[in-house]
């Protein structure tokens, strides 16, 4: 006899909306019988990983009968030197997604609340609800704001109460691309009580151009012991498939995160690749240059098509399709072999998020979009 497992599941899990990933290329190939597909849907690095990272991963293959280094010593040494932080401040994760979950597991219970913004990264509600904690969703900026649909820090701060334990801030934010400026984020950190952990998710940090005044939150670690900064090797470092990310925090907080961490959460190929990739600054610069060029290419096209877009500090552009439904345009692009990302599930039904590709990929997207939008 079978049970109603839905009724038996933890209450938070019963109502949880699973993460909707970008459509994999292989799926489009299967479903539409298409080849020659361009995927601009998951903000991956179109240049791929550093060749040095790849070579290190290949070398590490010979030793996969062994468990990985559960403390990730080599990667922590490399990160500690690069970021100028103590090794004890680091927590490694199976992607930064893993680290976000560790924060939730370490600090949230069914008694407590987490705050995040509308139109923010979908993982925040998932890790909050999986614990059974209460999610408080702050209203985002209005469409006519300089950072449309971006985080409204005053609205977020207004939701803080005695039960608040965690605030998630994405800077720059995905899927909007919007960002918070140095002074406003610093004022926010100053105003948040010290018993509330503030996670600043900097998944796109490496792409941020200095003139945007989008801060490096690591500078504040000495001032705010409640600050947790998360970063990843999935985006600018081109290692999304290997899953490596990390948090930098006060060592006491890092100690707690590491207590709930699965002992071997980062695999040996990922550790080796990330350590080597971190040292390949030339590759990182090539990726950033390609992103700048692709961003210009895409924005120029949008201008020609009469489309506007949200300001973006990342490696993607959230384009406003006006009266058109983002999901319809997404489907039409699929038929033409181009995968973009609808963002209706983020409360943006008339936008489409497009990851910046290399020139030829952007050109494919542009041709397909021209075809779809033609009257
Ligand atoms: C892509 C992304 C992440 C990182 O995901 P990984 O688990 O590190 O691959 C985290 N936060 C935001 C806002 C992202 O867009």
């Amino acid at each position: 006899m079978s049970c109603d497992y839905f009724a038996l599941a933890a209450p938070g899990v019963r109502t949880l909306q699973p993460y909707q990933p970008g459509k994999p290329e292989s799926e489009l190939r299967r479903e539409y019988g298409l080849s020659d597909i361009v995927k601009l849907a998951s903000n991956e690095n179109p240049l791929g990983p550093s060749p040095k990272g790849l070579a290190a991963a290949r070398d590490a293959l010979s030793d996969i009968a062994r468990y990985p280094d559960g403390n990730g010593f080599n990667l922590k040494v490399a990160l500690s030197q690069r970021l100028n932080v103590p090794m004890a401040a680091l927590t490694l994760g199976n992607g930064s997604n893993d680290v976000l979950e560790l924060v939730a597991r370490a600090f949230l219970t069914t008694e407590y609340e987490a705050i995040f913004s509308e139109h923010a990264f979908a993982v925040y509600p998932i890790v909050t609800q999986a614990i059974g904690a209460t999610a408080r969703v702050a209203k985002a900026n209005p469409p006519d704001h300089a950072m449309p649909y971006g985080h409204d820090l005053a609205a977020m701060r207004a939701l803080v109460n005695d039960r608040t334990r965690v605030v998630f801030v994405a800077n720059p934010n995905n899927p909007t691309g919007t960002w918070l400026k140095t002074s406003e984020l610093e004022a926010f950190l100053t105003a948040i009580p010290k018993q509330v952990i503030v996670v600043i998710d900097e998944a796109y940090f490496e792409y941020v151009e200095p003139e945007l005044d989008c801060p490096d939150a690591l500078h504040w670690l000495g001032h705010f012991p409640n600050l947790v900064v998360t970063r990843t090797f999935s985006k600018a470092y081109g290692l999304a498939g290997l899953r490596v990310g990390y948090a930098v925090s006060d060592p006491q907080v890092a100690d707690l995160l590491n207590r709930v961490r699965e002992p071997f959460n980062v695999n040996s190929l990922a550790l080796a690749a990330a350590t080597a990739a971190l040292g390949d600054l030339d590759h990182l610069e090539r990726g950033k240059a390609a992103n700048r060029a692709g961003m210009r290419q895409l924005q120029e096209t949008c201008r020609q098509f009469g489309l506007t877009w949200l300001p973006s500090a990342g490696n993607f552009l959230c384009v406003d399709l006006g009266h058109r439904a983002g999901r319809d345009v997404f489907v039409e692009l699929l038929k033409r072999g181009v995968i973009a990302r609808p963002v209706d599930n983020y409360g943006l039904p008339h936008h489409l998020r497009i990851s910046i590709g290399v020139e030829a990929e952007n050109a494919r997207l542009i041709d397909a979009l021209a075809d779809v939008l033609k009257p």
Side-chain angles (χ1 to χ4, degrees):
M1 211 180 77
S2 174
C3 287
D4 180 358
Y5 294 106
F6 261 96
L8 293 169
V13 176
R14 255 180 270 152
T15 53
L16 200 145
Q17 297 292 321
Y19 183 79
Q20 297 179 24
K23 195 176 183 69
E25 213 178 298
S26 54
E27 197 175 294
L28 186 60
R29 204 173 296 132
R30 252 189 340 262
E31 290 175 358
Y32 288 67
L34 290 170
S35 56
D36 195 18
I37 292 163
V38 169
K39 185 190 177 203
L40 300 172
S42 300
N43 303 343
E44 296 137 339
N45 183 341
L47 302 187
S50 146
K52 290 178 182 152
L54 205 55
R58 279 203 193 95
D59 281 350
L61 261 178
S62 62
D63 210 29
I64 55 169
R66 305 281 173 201
Y67 279 101
D69 173 4
N71 286 317
F73 181 81
N74 291 337
L75 179 54
K76 281 189 181 172
V77 168
L79 282 170
S80 160
Q81 286 170 358
R82 164 67 82 78
L83 307 173
N84 195 23
V85 298
M87 283 175 69
L90 295 166
T91 307
L92 302 181
N94 185 34
S96 57
N97 193 326
D98 188 23
V99 178
L100 297 171
E101 197 168 322
L102 298 182
V103 172
R105 291 236 299 279
F107 290 98
L108 294 174
T109 70
T110 51
E111 315 274 292
Y112 298 131
E113 302 180 358
I115 296 170
F116 46 84
S117 175
E118 277 184 302
H119 321 301
F121 189 43
V123 165
Y124 312 145
I126 293 175
V127 300
T128 301
Q129 260 187 279
I131 300 286
T134 301
R136 296 268 175 233
V137 185
K139 273 271 173 230
N141 289 332
D144 60 354
H145 192 277
M147 290 291 168
Y149 309 104
H151 291 21
D152 176 344
L153 291 178
M156 294 181 76
R157 195 183 146 194
L159 294 178
V160 174
N161 63 38
D162 291 346
R163 292 179 303 281
T164 310
R165 282 293 178 279
V166 180
V167 180
F168 292 103
V169 175
N171 200 41
N173 182 42
N174 168 23
T176 58
T178 52
W179 66 99
L180 298 158
K181 306 263 169 94
T182 307
S183 60
E184 51 180 337
L185 194 48
E186 186 167 22
F188 178 76
L189 285 165
T190 307
I192 298 294
K194 292 292 172 279
Q195 78 269 15
V196 176
I197 297 291
V198 180
V199 177
I200 301 188
D201 177 347
E202 295 189 336
Y204 300 95
F205 172 78
E206 294 81 3
Y207 285 111
V208 170
E209 301 292 347
E211 67 272 15
L212 300 181
D213 187 26
C214 177
D216 171 352
L218 292 184
H219 290 319
W220 290 318
L221 277 170
H223 297 278
F224 302 106
N226 55 334
L227 174 61
V228 175
V229 182
T230 62
R231 293 192 185 164
T232 182
F233 285 89
S234 297
K235 307 285 157 64
Y237 286 97
L239 293 172
L242 280 180
R243 317 298 304 122
V244 207
Y246 59 94
V248 193
S249 66
D250 185 272
Q252 204 186 348
V253 172
D255 177 20
L256 292 163
L257 299 181
N258 277 292
R259 288 180 197 200
V260 290
R261 187 177 60 80
E262 190 197 322
F264 303 104
N265 62 333
V266 187
N267 71 73
S268 40
L269 304 192
L271 287 171
T275 307
L278 198 64
D280 193 348
L281 291 174
D282 289 343
H283 185 74
L284 195 63
E285 285 308 317
R286 275 193 292 277
K288 288 165 69 171
N291 190 59
R292 276 192 293 273
M295 187 66 93
R296 274 196 302 272
Q297 188 186 0
L298 211 55
Q299 291 184 351
E300 186 48 45
T301 301
C302 287
R303 217 172 271 122
Q304 283 167 15
F305 292 171
L307 300 173
T308 60
W309 59 87
L310 306 183
S312 174
N315 64 341
F316 57 92
L317 199 61
C318 197
V319 177
D320 187 343
L321 298 167
H323 64 278
R324 295 180 190 84
R327 190 155 290 269
D328 293 347
V329 174
F330 160 73
V331 171
E332 287 306 313
L333 290 173
L334 283 185
K335 294 178 189 164
R336 292 159 178 82
V338 176
I339 312 176
R341 189 73 162 264
V343 283
D344 46 357
N345 58 321
Y346 284 93
L348 297 168
H350 296 284
H351 286 75
L352 191 69
R353 197 193 71 189
I354 302 167
S355 307
I356 306 297
V358 294
E359 192 178 351
E361 292 172 321
N362 300 332
R364 275 283 307 276
L365 173 275
I366 289 165
D367 285 350
L369 197 58
D371 195 33
V372 172
L373 297 180
K374 77 168 181 269

